Amino acid sequence: MVVGWFKKLKTSLSKSSDKISGGIKKILKSKKIDESTLQELEELMISSDLGVDSSSKIIQELKKSKLLNPSSEKVKEIIKKKLKEILAPLEKKIDLTKNLFVILVVGVNGVGKTATIGKLAEKFLKDGKKVGMVAADTFRAAAVEQLKIWADRTKSEFFSAKELSDPAALAYKSVITATEKKLDILLIDTAGRLHNKTDLMNELSKIIRVIKKIDESIPSETILILDGNIGQNSIRQAEVFKEICDIDSLIVTKLDGSAKGGALIPIAEKLKIPISFIGTGESKEDLAQFDADQFCSALLGIE
Ligand SMILES: Nc1nc2c(ncn2[C@@H]2O[C@H](COP(=O)(O)OP(=O)(O)OP(=O)(O)O)[C@@H](O)[C@H]2O)c(=O)[nH]1
Ligand SMILES: [Mg+2]
């Protein structure tokens, strides 16, 4: 991650980091680290969405360090070390070596699936890959239109079918055609909302079942998109999707403007699913490879 990007990440996470960093400063102001400051720090961590377990681990670490009158910078470094221990093993770089590499993108409505597909396509295009997109959200005509705009913007091949046609059949045909056309990557957009949860899950499992008929290793990567504003409720969303598919990685979107950036820690700790990218805005460049070190620094307002 380049310096410019770190600056952007810091700005994106500023709502979250202002709360944590400002809170630490206030708590430590001319105070020693004792039971009551530790309790205040723990409450701050919990109210900053870091989760009860991680917050308690952080406090244990601070206790162990036996600091008497530390600067807030020192305390932030200790917190960062602990958070990094949780997040670093979950950094994921998607290995795109296989052709055709099929990425299935899932998640509830509005989390940012379609926009993230656009941003991924932009990234892959810059790496010289030939990219295709499948509008397998055939539930809404507007969803097809929205993906088409991203396909045009990123010079990607576009695969679609009529409204309300079978998304599994479209996905199947698209994988065959994309292989024939020697595309490198195929991104499959799926619906986030159907009549009810059972419909949504049945549709998704059918898509997976059908494309597996072409090759058991497809989808090459299933990505669950989570909205960074939802905080720890994302854990429940992920558990529902885990019942239907093997999630290979997470992308957490909308970290810009979210005050709940800290929730990435309990999410990661609970789900143990790797994080491939994070989304920090609505434009096609607003997606970055997840880097635990940079994320923790930005979250804690460390330079
Ligand atoms: N600020 C910000 N907005 C984002 C980000 N990612 C997506 N969005 C916006 O969130 C809104 C919903 O995004 P979509 O990509 O349509 O979400 P979706 O999951 O495809 O939604 P459905 O198709 O309804 O299931 C759009 O206005 C996006 O521009 C992000 O990282 N930051
Ligand atoms: Mg969509």
Side-chain angles (χ1 to χ4, degrees):
M1 228 187 269
V2 288
V3 178
W5 170 255
F6 179 60
K7 220 168 161 182
K8 184 164 180 0
L9 181 64
K10 270 190 78 170
T11 315
S12 296
L13 285 170
S14 60
K15 274 196 193 159
S16 308
S17 66
D18 284 353
K19 183 169 182 189
I20 304 177
S21 185
I24 294 173
K25 227 178 182 156
K26 219 158 113 196
I27 293 168
L28 292 178
K29 207 169 179 197
S30 64
K31 270 197 237 165
K32 282 200 282 251
I33 290 242
D34 57 17
E35 275 303 321
S36 93
T37 24
L38 283 173
Q39 197 174 345
E40 279 179 65
L41 283 169
E42 185 164 16
E43 279 160 17
L44 173 70
M45 301 298 131
I46 293 170
S47 71
S48 303
D49 289 278
L50 265 64
V52 175
D53 292 349
S54 340
S55 301
S56 149
K57 279 184 192 161
I58 290 167
I59 298 307
Q60 294 311 319
E61 189 73 20
L62 284 170
K63 262 189 189 162
K64 256 197 336 212
S65 64
K66 295 204 168 62
L67 295 165
L68 274 179
N69 217 339
S71 65
S72 51
E73 290 312 309
K74 178 75 197 157
V75 168
K76 286 200 280 188
E77 282 301 335
I78 293 171
I79 298 174
K80 178 181 165 183
K81 185 172 158 255
K82 207 68 212 166
L83 297 185
K84 241 184 95 173
E85 264 175 42
I86 299 169
L87 290 178
L90 296 170
E91 277 176 6
K92 171 156 188 184
K93 198 154 191 306
I94 299 174
D95 182 12
L96 294 166
T97 43
K98 180 180 177 284
N99 282 5
L100 172 78
F101 196 88
V102 180
I103 300 181
L104 181 70
V105 177
V106 304
V108 303
N109 63 294
V111 288
K113 293 180 295 298
T114 306
T116 303
I117 285 179
K119 297 184 211 174
L120 284 169
E122 175 69 11
K123 228 173 220 337
F124 300 148
L125 181 78
K126 281 195 176 143
D127 292 340
K129 305 279 186 195
K130 277 162 74 181
V131 183
M133 291 181 188
V134 186
D137 180 355
T138 57
F139 188 58
R140 296 179 298 128
V144 181
E145 280 306 305
Q146 194 194 350
L147 190 70
K148 173 80 169 69
I149 293 170
W150 279 108
D152 291 343
R153 223 179 253 168
T154 57
K155 301 178 182 64
S156 302
E157 286 263 353
F158 185 65
F159 301 91
S160 66
K162 280 205 299 286
E163 199 178 338
L164 299 181
S165 49
D166 179 12
L170 169 66
Y172 183 89
K173 260 199 342 226
S174 306
V175 172
I176 301 280
T177 314
T179 309
E180 283 165 6
K181 289 192 164 186
K182 298 200 172 8
L183 297 190
D184 299 306
I185 296 161
L186 190 67
L187 294 152
I188 305 179
D189 193 13
T190 60
R193 184 196 286 131
L194 289 179
H195 299 293
N196 59 49
K197 199 179 91 186
T198 315
D199 282 344
L200 179 71
M201 293 303 157
N202 285 345
E203 180 172 294
L204 191 56
S205 54
K206 187 175 170 196
I207 293 175
I208 296 170
R209 206 169 55 240
V210 168
I211 54 179
K212 275 201 181 306
K213 286 187 184 154
I214 303 170
D215 177 346
E216 183 57 33
S217 72
I218 296 177
S220 322
E221 178 94 5
T222 301
I223 301 182
L224 174 69
I225 311 289
L226 297 174
D227 178 340
N229 286 300
I230 308 286
Q232 293 181 61
N233 290 336
S234 290
I235 296 172
R236 179 72 202 118
Q237 282 180 16
E239 277 164 353
V240 171
F241 280 92
K242 266 172 85 175
E243 285 169 24
I244 298 296
C245 46
D246 295 325
I247 300 160
D248 298 301
S249 69
L250 302 175
I251 295 182
V252 183
T253 61
K254 308 189 198 182
L255 283 174
D256 54 308
S258 159
K260 292 178 182 288
L264 207 73
I265 287 102
I267 292 171
E269 192 162 49
K270 186 97 199 312
L271 296 171
K272 301 262 188 300
I273 303 173
I275 303 164
S276 45
F277 294 93
I278 51 176
T280 55
E282 293 189 89
S283 75
K284 60 184 184 181
E285 292 85 17
D286 292 331
L287 188 79
Q289 183 72 48
F290 174 63
D291 177 314
D293 184 76
Q294 303 253 14
F295 180 83
C296 294
S297 290
L299 182 68
L300 293 163
I302 296 173
E303 286 310 316

